[in-house]
Amino acid sequence: MTIHKTRMLILGSGPAGLSAAIYGARAGLKPIVVQGIQPGGQLMTTTDVENYPGFADVIQGPWLMEQMQKQAEHVGTTFMYDIVTGVDLSRRPFRLTGDGGDVYEADTLIIATGAQAKWLGLDSERHLAGKGVSACATCDGFFYRGKKVVVIGGGNTAVEEALYMTNHSPDVTLIHRRDSLRAEKILQERLFANERISVLWDKTVEKFVAGGSPEGLVGLDLRDTRTGEHSHIACDGAFVAIGHSPATELFQGQLALDEGYITVEPGTSRTAIPGVFACGDVMDKHYRQAVTAAGTGCMAALDAERFLAEAEFAAKRAEAA
């Protein structure tokens, strides 16, 4: 068993975690990043990135994360290829255990474990991911300008995605497996008032249909949840909007959660436990963008740096008293 001691431990290596690492390292805190089950986060599965500031041309998600990691390493961050399986936040230094038995002791902890979009779980969905099937209209909607698209779901996320897509598409269809929506009433009113959006009720997706050259999405095979009748809808793009799952299982019972997301003090990254901070999609149920994740990663590092400085000042004052 190896014990790794650090002033700043960061869980997660997506845009939030790497931004926190860059700022923490530049402050001389020599952070350790535990990369987790998906090093690089969700952008590692994103091909074309067109909305990250600073790049005039389309860039690749994996390339962007590679560059961010190199930058973090260059300024003094240590990366551990490990998965944390145990967390004790009852006292400082915080004590975390990796699945290989290594122990991490940290004066501050930044949680940037992210969230994963929920998928329908179809083989055809997985096959066409990035080829017409997406889980983020804000990320990929621009690629479907003037084309016919569908949004799958019935909650706030689905309605918001459908409304957003009317900025790009004149023909948006919302597909829901029930006969009423779960979204907030004000969102429903906006949806039903939008002439660009139509709704297919009581329909579930059985298959995402591929075709064309190069191969991409050309439509969806549907089944009526009441009658069992089968139908088909042609489309160029499909957005699965059935929610997200933040990676917070480790912190249940130790940190306050809101619908699974870590609760932070408004306008900060501070959790209810002094010295523990959260950033990125693990605490952001609204935006879930790479650039907002990176911004909150910066906030978390600055909050942690200030926490350490204040703690050290208080300790010195206590010694002098």
Side-chain angles (χ1 to χ4, degrees):
M1 179 185 72
T2 303
I3 298 178
H4 308 276
K5 297 185 178 183
T6 179
R7 301 184 73 196
M8 177 184 287
L9 181 67
I10 301 169
L11 299 188
S13 53
L18 295 183
S19 296
I22 292 166
Y23 275 81
R26 284 176 55 83
L29 300 179
K30 298 181 179 179
I32 293 176
V33 172
V34 180
Q35 294 194 287
I37 197 167
Q38 186 180 26
Q42 294 184 68
L43 278 182
M44 295 301 290
T45 60
T46 303
T47 51
D48 294 342
V49 176
E50 207 171 32
N51 57 1
Y52 199 88
F55 301 95
D57 297 322
V58 176
I59 58 174
Q60 301 299 299
W63 176 85
L64 177 61
M65 300 318 301
E66 177 186 355
Q67 295 302 305
M68 291 182 72
Q69 178 169 335
K70 286 181 177 178
Q71 184 179 3
E73 289 174 327
H74 178 72
V75 292
T77 302
T78 298
F79 284 82
M80 302 296 294
Y81 294 92
D82 200 354
I83 299 171
V84 169
T85 56
V87 177
D88 181 2
L89 304 181
S90 62
R91 62 186 183 276
R92 293 181 59 238
F94 307 116
R95 188 177 176 90
L96 296 86
T97 306
D99 68 350
D102 281 11
V103 172
Y104 302 88
E105 293 184 352
D107 294 327
T108 59
L109 173 64
I110 294 178
I111 302 168
T113 47
Q116 294 290 333
K118 294 179 182 178
W119 295 89
L120 299 177
L122 301 172
D123 290 340
S124 56
E125 174 186 58
R126 186 165 51 251
H127 177 70
L128 287 171
K131 302 176 183 177
V133 177
S134 169
C136 181
T138 311
C139 309
D140 300 327
F142 186 74
F143 299 113
Y144 299 92
R145 299 183 303 277
K147 298 182 178 181
K148 178 178 174 58
V149 300
V150 301
V151 177
I152 302 156
N156 284 355
T157 299
V159 173
E160 288 169 351
E161 300 263 273
L163 288 166
Y164 174 81
M165 282 308 302
T166 61
N167 296 319
H168 303 295
S169 169
D171 190 347
V172 179
T173 301
L174 182 71
I175 299 173
H176 186 41
R177 60 182 178 175
R178 298 189 175 93
D179 60 0
S180 62
L181 300 175
R182 293 177 286 106
E184 297 173 359
K185 291 300 181 184
I186 190 168
L187 287 175
Q188 293 191 41
E189 290 172 2
R190 289 176 57 198
L191 179 91
F192 297 136
N194 196 308
E195 296 180 351
R196 292 189 167 198
I197 300 176
S198 57
V199 181
L200 283 179
W201 302 104
D202 301 315
K203 298 290 188 295
T204 185
V205 179
E206 292 207 316
K207 183 179 180 180
F208 294 87
V209 181
S213 180
E215 184 184 67
L217 180 75
V218 295
L220 278 64
D221 287 340
L222 307 174
R223 178 178 58 83
D224 192 289
T225 56
R226 291 193 173 189
T227 67
E229 180 183 357
H230 290 83
S231 59
H232 177 86
I233 181 173
C235 63
D236 302 293
F239 296 92
V240 180
I242 56 176
H244 288 74
S245 298
T248 54
E249 296 85 356
L250 281 172
F251 311 105
Q252 290 180 2
Q254 299 194 68
L255 289 173
L257 304 178
D258 178 11
E259 297 180 6
Y261 293 85
I262 294 176
T263 301
V264 297
E265 182 182 325
T268 78
S269 66
R270 294 192 291 267
T271 71
I273 297 179
V276 178
F277 308 88
C279 56
D281 288 7
V282 77
M283 48 72 72
D284 173 18
K285 66 171 69 173
H286 299 294
Y287 301 106
R288 294 190 294 265
Q289 299 298 301
V291 66
T292 52
T296 57
C298 165
M299 291 168 58
L302 295 177
D303 286 342
E305 179 189 359
R306 291 179 185 131
F307 171 84
L308 288 170
E310 291 170 2
E312 290 168 6
F313 179 76
K316 290 179 180 178
R317 188 169 57 182
E319 289 177 5

